């Protein structure tokens, strides 16, 4: 059994070795699209992942072309992902108002179920209490049912889960109200966990007038509830902030996540343990993710990056939401199953093939 | 202590004596209006009440001109109600997004607190979780906090109440989804009670294309969950159905309620005990309503009414939602504190003055 506390990373001067990180909410905008152009494909996304220190991407079907709700969409998703990945990945299914009877066809090829409850979602189960209850009841209890619910829909979702004493995970928490409600629910003993997109800890709508970023006071509240946050995630926020500014990049935000967090370590706001807990131990525990043998990331904790447009290997070369910021932290090398897949800007596509872990997870 | 089981009503042939009934959701559209015309005033409303067998009207501040959220509105409400009532009444306060600090000024003159959560409400606390939590916490725990929440807002409200183990009452339940959710919540041990407007048990949107009436299958589901329904109420449904059809009547639906329910007794769908439990015992227990001494109603259980426009004493003379229906049941006499206030169409305004019970309730 893998244990991080003293052995996971060996500090030498300002470098460290940490476990391969897990992005519990990976946004792949073209997940089940029929035709995907090369710049926006799964290879581009997973290159960003390994350059960012992530060795497992858990794909949450949130977004317009990002549906995985039946066998045909599973087939298309497989076509888009199999053999194209630089890192391992996990598929998660999408609940819709109409697929309750079809979902059994894809349950063994997916891990968790996402119930879309956010008003921004193109498909939503908002106000469909009976359907939500049925999904919560039907989905294998070994995996949490995930929702992107906010406000009253968050309280409602936690209520329905609590009626069944069922584990749930709230993804992309962004506001003081929602993190406070989750804090209270945890105190009451509910089986609820949550993640916060890294961008939402470091950018507010004072930086960009974006509907995906929160107010500065919400950002502050998220930091004040850092112990309530089980996982950090990349999520869709960087993609949509870039898109709002006229730039599309499948891997937007993935490489930036760890440097942003390591900058908080440099600032004394987080410890490296805080990060490893939220990007490795908690994700593994919550989503029952198996160990990747001989998989780790070498980082430099305090290497300075003055962010310009092309500071990161795979993100947009023409625009960065972080331009002008000074970050500390650098991914030096990413190793999967004993093979170096990334080293200082160089990718080694033949070194290892990313695997779909969904079936393995399901067997565990 | 008043006890109904064997002594409340003495059956002789087809007549019965039942306790003075309590309407837990009385809609008075002009509650806190500055100028109220005579036809729409509290006298008109409470005449309907005593003609309908109700000796206590609990006024829920739902609707456009129907706000009771601060001292000035309490004063106007007192002006509109004091000395104008044929029956006793209870005032309930309204929560708004801004009156949390003012509400203490009216708490001793009111009984329960209504939190408006329905999308039809002109003021709503929808999605204001922190505010709802504060109201649930601040309002005296001896009285349930009432809400007209539906769908996800209902689940959210029950969740917030459950976090505090707080008694709540859901008013005007109209759908299968909502009554099912309340049924599950009761089974789970939540302190939740509910009422259903009588019109919503006997009319559907197949009768009138109204946004206040539910589908026939919802109506059927309400009947199938009759044991989950703690109280019947008149509510705002009859007023708005009449208004949608071009007719305004303050007392719309009040006189019709008991004959509709007695018709269900004649049809074998309800017992008289079912009615008295939901219009007397449960309201008293849930809202801590004191006994009215020597107060009762004499009814004829099976007197036939072929409803025409002016079948009822106080409702609109030009239109009735029930026109063409055949009902069974008749209020013969209403007695408050030993005095007959209503007898076969005759009102006795000098016999008794309706009292504001709010302060008494608060002391009990
Ligand atoms: Zn150094
Ligand atoms: Zn496949
Ligand atoms: Zn808190
Ligand atoms: Zn390096
Ligand atoms: Zn008879
Ligand atoms: Zn007064
Ligand atoms: Zn049921
Ligand atoms: Zn009579």
């Amino acid at each position: 059994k893998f244990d991080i506390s003293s052995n996971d990373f060996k500090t030498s001067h300002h470098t460290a070795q940490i476990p391969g990180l897990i992005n519990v909410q990976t946004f792949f905008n073209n997940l089940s699209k029929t035709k995907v152009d090369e710049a926006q494909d799964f290879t581009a996304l997973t290159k960003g992942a390994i350059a960012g220190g992530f060795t497992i991407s858990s794909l949450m079907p949130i977004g317009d072309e990002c549906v995985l709700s039946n066998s045909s969409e599973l087939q298309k998703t497989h076509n888009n992902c199999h053999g194209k990945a630089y890192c391992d990945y996990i598929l998660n299914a999408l609940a819709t108002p109409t697929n309750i009877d079809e979902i059994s066809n894809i349950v063994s090829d997916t891990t968790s179920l996402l119930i879309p409850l956010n008003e921004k979602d193109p498909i939503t189960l908002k106000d469909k209490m009976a359907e939500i209850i049925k999904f919560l009841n039907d989905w294998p209890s070994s995996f949490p049912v995930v929702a992107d619910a906010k406000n009253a829909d968050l309280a409602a979702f936690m209520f329905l889960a609590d009626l069944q004493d069922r584990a749930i995970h709230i993804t992309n928490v962004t506001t003081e109200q929602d993190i406070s409600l989750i804090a209270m629910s945890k105190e009451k003993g509910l089986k609820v966990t949550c993640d916060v997109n890294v961008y939402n800890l470091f950018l507010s709508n004072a930086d960009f007038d974006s509907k995906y970023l929160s107010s500065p006071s919400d950002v502050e509240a998220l930091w004040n509830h850092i112990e309530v946050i089980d996982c950090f995630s990349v999520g869709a926020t960087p993609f949509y902030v870039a898109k709002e500014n006229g730039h599309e990049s499948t891997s937007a935000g993935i490489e930036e996540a760890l440097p942003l967090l390591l900058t908080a370590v440099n600032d004394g706001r987080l410890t490296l343990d805080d990060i490893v807990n939220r990007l490795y131990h908690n994700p593994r525990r919550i989503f029952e993710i198996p160990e990747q043998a001989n998989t780790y990331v070498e980082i430099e904790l305090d290497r300075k990056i003055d962010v310009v447009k092309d500071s990161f290997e795979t993100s947009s070369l023409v625009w960065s939401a972080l331009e002008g910021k000074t970050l500390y932290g650098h991914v030096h090398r990413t190793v999967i199953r004993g093979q170096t897949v990334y080293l200082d800007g160089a990718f080694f596509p033949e070194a290892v093939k990313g695997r779909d872990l969904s079936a393995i997870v399901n067997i565990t």
Side-chain angles (χ1 to χ4, degrees), chain A:
Chain A
K1 186 162 165 297
F2 205 90
D3 191 327
I4 190 229
S5 46
S6 55
N7 302 323
D8 282 1
F9 52 91
K10 302 158 193 124
T11 305
S12 114
H13 189 48
H14 295 105
T15 68
Q17 182 181 310
I18 58 174
L21 302 176
I22 301 166
N23 180 13
V24 295
Q25 194 209 335
T26 306
F27 173 67
F28 177 28
N29 57 319
N30 293 317
L31 186 71
S32 58
K33 209 176 176 181
T34 306
K35 283 182 182 167
V36 180
D37 71 64
E38 206 177 309
Q40 301 283 317
D41 73 0
F42 198 51
T43 301
L45 177 79
T46 51
K47 280 176 83 168
I50 61 169
F54 292 97
T55 58
I56 296 180
S57 296
S58 185
L59 297 163
M60 280 296 162
I62 298 179
D64 293 324
E65 298 281 352
C66 200
V67 287
L68 175 39
S69 68
N70 58 36
S71 301
S72 122
E73 286 154 7
L74 178 68
Q75 189 54 56
K76 287 193 254 178
T77 299
H78 280 172
N79 290 345
N80 289 336
C81 296
H82 283 187
K84 299 197 171 78
Y86 276 67
C87 68
D88 293 346
Y89 57 94
I90 292 167
L91 302 178
N92 300 288
L94 180 72
T96 78
T98 55
N99 76 336
I100 188 86
D101 296 322
E102 292 177 273
I103 201 91
S104 58
N105 300 328
I106 62 172
V107 68
S108 62
D109 287 302
T110 55
T111 303
S112 288
L113 176 73
L114 178 80
I115 300 189
L117 289 171
N118 189 310
E119 59 188 9
K120 296 194 203 84
D121 295 324
I123 296 167
T124 172
L125 268 81
K126 190 175 163 62
D127 283 333
K128 307 242 181 244
M129 299 296 113
E131 286 82 350
I132 297 171
I133 289 169
K134 198 155 182 344
F135 278 117
L136 287 168
N137 185 59
D138 286 4
W139 198 257
S141 62
S142 42
F143 301 110
V145 170
V146 181
D148 54 356
K150 299 192 179 299
N151 302 323
D153 298 306
L154 171 59
F157 183 66
M158 292 200 287
F159 183 69
L160 300 183
D162 190 33
L163 280 181
Q164 301 185 23
D165 203 26
R166 210 246 186 263
I168 53 171
H169 179 86
I170 309 302
T171 192
N172 189 24
V173 179
T174 56
T175 64
E176 173 168 24
Q177 174 172 285
D178 291 352
I179 198 69
S180 299
L181 198 60
I182 291 168
M184 280 183 271
S185 305
K186 285 185 170 198
E187 268 168 47
K188 190 100 200 295
L190 262 79
K191 294 177 182 165
V192 58
T193 55
C194 70
D195 69 74
V196 170
N197 289 357
V198 174
Y199 259 39
N200 291 99
L201 288 169
F202 294 95
L203 292 171
S204 74
N205 59 18
D207 299 304
F208 293 96
D209 181 19
S210 163
K211 59 179 176 166
Y212 297 89
L213 297 172
S214 310
S215 70
S217 66
D218 282 325
V219 173
E220 195 187 329
L222 292 174
W223 279 99
N224 291 338
H225 286 87
I226 200 81
E227 294 307 322
V228 178
I229 301 171
D230 299 281
C231 307
F232 297 136
S233 58
V234 177
T237 304
F239 177 88
Y240 282 114
V241 170
K243 193 173 178 182
E244 285 173 331
N245 286 276
H247 303 285
E248 285 216 22
S249 164
T250 293
S251 65
I254 297 179
E255 281 184 72
E256 291 95 318
L258 189 55
L260 282 168
L261 293 167
L262 291 173
T263 301
V265 174
N266 261 274
D267 295 344
R269 304 176 80 187
L270 288 176
T271 66
L272 189 54
D273 265 354
D274 287 336
I275 298 175
V276 174
N277 283 333
R278 288 169 182 74
L279 287 176
Y280 177 73
H281 289 288
N282 294 345
R284 275 196 63 193
R285 175 179 49 79
I286 294 166
F287 294 95
E288 302 272 354
I289 298 172
E291 189 188 337
Q292 298 170 294
N294 301 313
T295 298
Y296 56 88
V297 179
E298 292 173 3
I299 56 175
E300 286 180 68
L301 286 161
D302 59 356
R303 183 151 129 189
K304 187 174 163 186
I305 313 170
D306 288 309
V307 181
V308 291
K309 300 183 219 309
D310 60 354
S311 290
F312 299 97
E313 303 296 336
T314 64
S315 303
S316 171
L317 298 177
V318 292
W319 187 82
S320 168
L322 306 177
E323 195 175 341
K325 283 192 192 287
T326 299
L327 302 184
Y328 294 87
H330 162 76
V331 173
H332 175 65
R333 181 201 301 269
T334 302
V335 175
I336 298 181
R337 289 183 279 280
Q339 303 290 317
T340 294
V341 291
Y342 175 79
L343 177 68
D344 276 337
F347 296 89
F348 302 95
E350 298 312 315
V352 69
K353 285 284 172 232
R355 294 178 188 172
D356 181 348
L357 300 183
S358 313
I360 302 170
V361 172
N362 261 309
I363 288 161
T364 310

